């Protein structure tokens, strides 16, 4: 028996309940991990609300975390009791203990602590594939990154600047604009007070952007398309404001023979080799100091409800983490 946040029915943050939770011993190719921290991500909200369908009810939310291996299942190689590990893409990390597929676990470098790892695994590897594989960002790239002061944003904009790009961000308040400027953006547009499409045209002298990264969804569509130069790429990797509806593909033709993609981390880390390569790149850029990690919000796991309320109300900025005490 362990303690966990349990969702017994789909709904609001009030459906996050801290209670006793029965957890099996690790099965074949599984690790039992005593959690030290879990990441806080919008994907957790999507599962809680039913935007994404959970594999079962009840379920324990949380898709990334970090801690120490306390037991290993049959067939596990490469991990032993006492190893510090981090993981993204599993389930059930809002808990004292979690069962983690060994195939999704990664050894933590000595220089990275568990709270930092829990805050960056999903967001940081998302930034990696967005910037290095979905679109290969380099010194000639001009890009727009929505929600630049958000969890993925503060990693991705620093990383993009490290790669030499011209980085334009959007944010929703003067404070968040300042946060984005401090984390790699050359320019930041307050989308609540300014027309971000016109601002992008002005900042680029009409040339517009090679790529737009959009995790906002409904509120920024189709404006994001109007920020792209001819044959530019629209990357929709989330929908914090709601899903994009009635996306007519003819728009891509009308607005300049554009390209569009809806990627996910799991599509870019489907093999062990891809996962390890992505994590190595993340750990390297963080370890070098090129991407600086600052945890802005920290919530005890028992207060996951408040964490979700703050996240959905856009009261958070930067990186957030859920801490778990034994």
């Amino acid at each position: 028996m362990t303690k966990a946040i349990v969702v017994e029915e789909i709904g609001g943050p009030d459906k996050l309940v801290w209670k006793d939770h029965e957890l099996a011993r690790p099965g074949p190719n599984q690790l039992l991990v005593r959690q030290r921290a879990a990441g806080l991500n919008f994907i957790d909200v999507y599962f809680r609300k039913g935007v994404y369908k959970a594999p079962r009810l009840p379920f324990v939310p949380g898709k990334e975390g970090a801690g120490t291996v306390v037991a290993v299942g049959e067939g596990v190689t490469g991990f032993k009791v006492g190893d510090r590990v981090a993981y993204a893409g599993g389930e059930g990390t809002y808990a004292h203990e979690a069962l983690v597929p060994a195939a999704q676990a990664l050894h933590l470098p000595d220089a990275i602590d568990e709270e930092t790892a829990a805050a960056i695994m999903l967001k940081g590897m998302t930034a990696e594939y967005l910037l290095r594989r979905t679109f290969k960002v380099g010194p000639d790239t001009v890009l727009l990154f929505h929600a630049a002061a958000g969890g993925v944003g503060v990693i991705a904009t620093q990383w993009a600047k490290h790669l030499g790009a011209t980085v334009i961000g959007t944010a929703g308040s003067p404070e968040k604009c300042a946060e984005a400027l401090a984390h790699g953006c050359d320019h930041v547009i307050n989308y609540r007070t300014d027309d971000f499409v016109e601002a992008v045209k002005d900042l680029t002298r009409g040339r517009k952007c090679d790529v737009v990264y959009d995790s906002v969804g409904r509120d920024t569509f189709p404006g994001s398309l109007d920020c792209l130069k001819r044959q530019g790429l629209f990357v929709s990797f989330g929908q914090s404001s709601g899903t994009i509806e009635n996306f007519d593909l003819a728009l891509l033709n009308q607005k300049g023979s554009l390209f569009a993609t809806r990627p996910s981390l799991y599509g870019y880390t489907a093999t062990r080799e891809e996962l390890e390569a992505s994590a190595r790149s993340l750990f390297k850029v963080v370890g070098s100091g090129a991407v600086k990690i600052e945890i802005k919000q920290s919530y005890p796991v028992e207060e996951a409800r408040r964490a979700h309320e703050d996240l959905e109300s856009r009261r958070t900025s930067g990186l957030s983490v859920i801490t778990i005490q034994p």
Side-chain angles (χ1 to χ4, degrees):
M1 187 72 70
T2 188
K3 295 278 283 188
I5 293 291
V6 179
V7 176
E8 296 184 329
E9 58 180 311
I10 297 303
D14 61 302
K15 303 304 181 184
L16 300 168
V17 180
W18 179 246
K19 60 185 295 185
D20 289 335
H21 176 65
E22 192 70 41
L23 191 66
R25 298 297 296 171
N29 302 310
Q30 286 185 320
L31 306 174
L32 179 63
V33 177
R34 182 167 295 135
Q35 303 267 99
R36 180 63 185 86
L40 176 65
N41 298 286
F42 245 98
I43 194 170
D44 306 336
V45 174
Y46 299 153
F47 276 103
R48 191 204 75 225
K49 294 171 68 174
V51 176
Y52 295 166
K53 186 176 180 180
R56 71 191 69 83
L57 283 172
F59 71 92
V60 177
K63 304 297 286 186
E64 67 178 339
T68 302
V69 176
V70 293
V72 298
E74 182 182 354
V76 171
T77 59
F79 296 96
K80 64 183 185 304
V81 172
D83 284 350
R84 293 189 321 127
V85 293
Y87 26 89
E91 60 181 72
T93 62
Y94 288 23
H96 277 160
E97 294 182 335
L99 288 172
V100 179
Q104 295 175 352
L106 295 152
H107 289 281
L108 265 183
D110 292 340
I112 296 181
D113 62 70
E114 287 88 344
E115 288 191 19
T116 297
I120 69 171
M121 292 304 295
L122 194 151
K123 304 175 192 72
M125 289 195 293
T126 295
E128 184 276 327
Y129 83 71
L130 289 174
L131 301 176
R132 300 178 74 246
R133 290 185 284 163
T134 303
F135 185 97
K136 195 169 182 62
V137 169
D140 296 329
T141 305
V142 178
L143 65 87
L144 175 65
F145 208 101
H146 286 299
V152 177
V154 296
I155 297 175
T157 53
Q158 291 181 81
W159 203 334
K161 194 62 187 173
H162 175 63
L163 293 170
T166 298
V167 183
I168 304 170
T170 68
S173 70
E175 294 77 18
K176 289 190 175 183
C177 287
E179 178 92 4
L181 282 170
H183 288 89
C185 287
D186 296 288
H187 313 281
V188 183
I189 303 159
N190 187 332
Y191 66 85
R192 295 190 187 277
T193 59
D194 299 312
D195 182 327
F196 71 82
V197 174
E198 292 304 314
V200 165
K201 290 178 182 177
D202 289 344
L203 288 168
T204 61
R205 298 181 181 178
R207 291 189 291 269
K208 301 193 281 189
C209 298
D210 300 286
V211 57
V212 173
Y213 295 106
D214 191 337
S215 64
V216 177
R218 183 183 300 157
D219 289 353
T220 47
F221 186 83
S224 289
L225 301 182
D226 295 317
C227 296
L228 287 165
K229 63 176 61 172
R230 184 169 57 89
Q231 298 177 21
L233 176 63
F234 170 57
V235 183
S236 172
F237 68 102
Q239 57 269 343
S240 61
S241 69
T243 56
I244 296 172
E245 298 176 349
N246 303 316
F247 188 167
D248 184 351
L249 286 176
L251 275 175
L252 300 177
N253 174 34
Q254 295 165 14
K255 293 181 181 293
S257 294
L258 304 179
F259 295 87
T261 184
R262 179 56 175 91
S264 72
L265 175 62
Y266 315 121
Y268 281 83
T269 56
T271 69
R272 182 69 188 181
E273 292 75 18
E274 290 172 335
L275 178 66
E276 289 181 345
S278 184
R280 278 197 304 271
S281 295
L282 173 62
F283 292 153
K284 181 179 179 180
V285 79
V286 171
S288 72
V291 171
K292 295 177 173 59
I293 301 302
E294 179 185 5
I295 295 173
K296 300 287 286 186
Q297 294 85 208
S298 179
Y299 303 88
V301 66
E302 299 90 341
E303 298 181 19
R305 181 182 304 182
R306 179 167 66 89
H308 276 224
E309 289 171 347
D310 288 352
L311 186 63
E312 287 189 90
S313 301
R314 302 190 182 185
R315 291 194 291 266
T316 63
S317 65
L319 295 165
S320 303
V321 71
I322 291 175
T323 60
I324 303 161
Q325 299 296 333

